[in-house]
């Protein structure tokens, strides 16, 4: 009985510590940061913590700033999914991501077009060779798939 009471108090303390800003923030696209408590019959006496990712915690005020955790704080059962080192939580829509990718593609394409149109001509002329590109001198035959001659005069 004492363990269940302490677990409830611990869960209440964890949810009370979350800043009000996080409650008003945009819902992430990930299903990991929902805050729901999933009933797991195999968890035993371990505290059943809500599904809050530690990535959504603020950067300051933690005993362990790298993992955003206080000393003695229970680790979530699915810490590999709820920890700081888990796959990133994205708080923006896929449409915004596509718009950003489109903008970058347009910027790169525009810059490439600008360079293509303003690129100066080569100051030297290309070298040409007489006698049909020196085909006979280079050992070309009529049945060659690829001609062995150099650039011919035009």
């Amino acid at each position: 009985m004492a363990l269940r009471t302490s677990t409830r108090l611990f869960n209440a303390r964890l949810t009370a510590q979350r800043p009000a800003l996080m409650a008003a923030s945009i819902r992430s696209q990930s299903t990991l940061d929902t805050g729901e408590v999933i009933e797991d019959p195999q968890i035993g006496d371990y505290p059943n913590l809500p599904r809050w990712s530690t990535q959504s915690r603020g950067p300051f005020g933690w005993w362990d700033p790298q993992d955003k955790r206080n000393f003695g704080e229970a680790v979530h059962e699915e810490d590999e999914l709820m920890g700081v080192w888990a796959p990133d939580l994205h708080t923006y829509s896929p449409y915004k991501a596509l718009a950003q990718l489109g903008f970058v593609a347009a910027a790169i394409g525009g810059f490439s077009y600008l360079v293509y149109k303003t690129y100066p001509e080569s100051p030297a002329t290309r070298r040409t060779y007489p006698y049909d590109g020196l085909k006979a001198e280079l050992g070309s035959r009529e049945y060659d798939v690829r001609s062995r001659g150099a650039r011919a005069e035009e």
Side-chain angles (χ1 to χ4, degrees):
M1 183 68 175
L3 183 61
R4 287 185 184 263
T5 306
S6 64
T7 304
R8 285 189 197 130
L9 289 174
F10 185 73
N11 286 343
R13 192 184 82 198
L14 273 180
T15 55
Q17 283 180 351
R18 293 196 50 85
L21 179 65
M22 294 310 296
S25 68
I26 299 171
R27 182 189 172 279
S28 64
Q29 298 296 318
S30 175
T31 58
L32 298 177
D33 204 31
T34 58
E36 65 181 331
V37 177
I38 298 175
E39 295 301 324
D40 186 4
Q42 297 177 348
I43 201 168
D45 293 340
Y46 198 76
N48 196 6
L49 302 175
R51 291 178 63 89
W52 291 116
S53 176
T54 54
Q55 290 180 8
S56 60
R57 291 180 171 183
F60 303 110
W62 304 104
W63 179 80
D64 180 9
Q66 184 174 1
D67 284 335
K68 298 180 183 179
R69 182 172 287 127
N70 286 326
F71 182 78
E73 182 178 344
V75 178
H76 197 281
E77 178 190 15
E78 298 175 339
D79 186 53
E80 66 276 0
L81 294 176
M82 301 295 158
V84 175
W85 306 109
D88 291 337
L89 294 176
H90 300 289
T91 57
Y92 48 87
S93 72
Y95 303 110
K96 182 176 180 181
L98 283 175
Q100 290 175 349
L101 285 173
F103 176 74
V104 168
I108 291 173
F111 180 74
S112 300
Y113 181 76
L114 180 71
V115 168
Y116 176 75
K117 284 298 186 184
T118 60
Y119 197 74
E121 270 189 48
S122 177
T125 59
R126 296 182 65 122
R127 187 171 191 172
T128 57
Y129 298 96
Y131 305 111
D132 199 21
L134 301 176
K135 285 186 180 180
E137 288 78 4
L138 293 173
S140 177
R141 295 177 292 258
E142 290 183 25
Y143 54 86
D144 282 343
V145 175
R146 184 170 176 232
S147 177
R148 295 186 185 189
R151 254 181 259 106
E153 290 179 331
E154 294 178 9

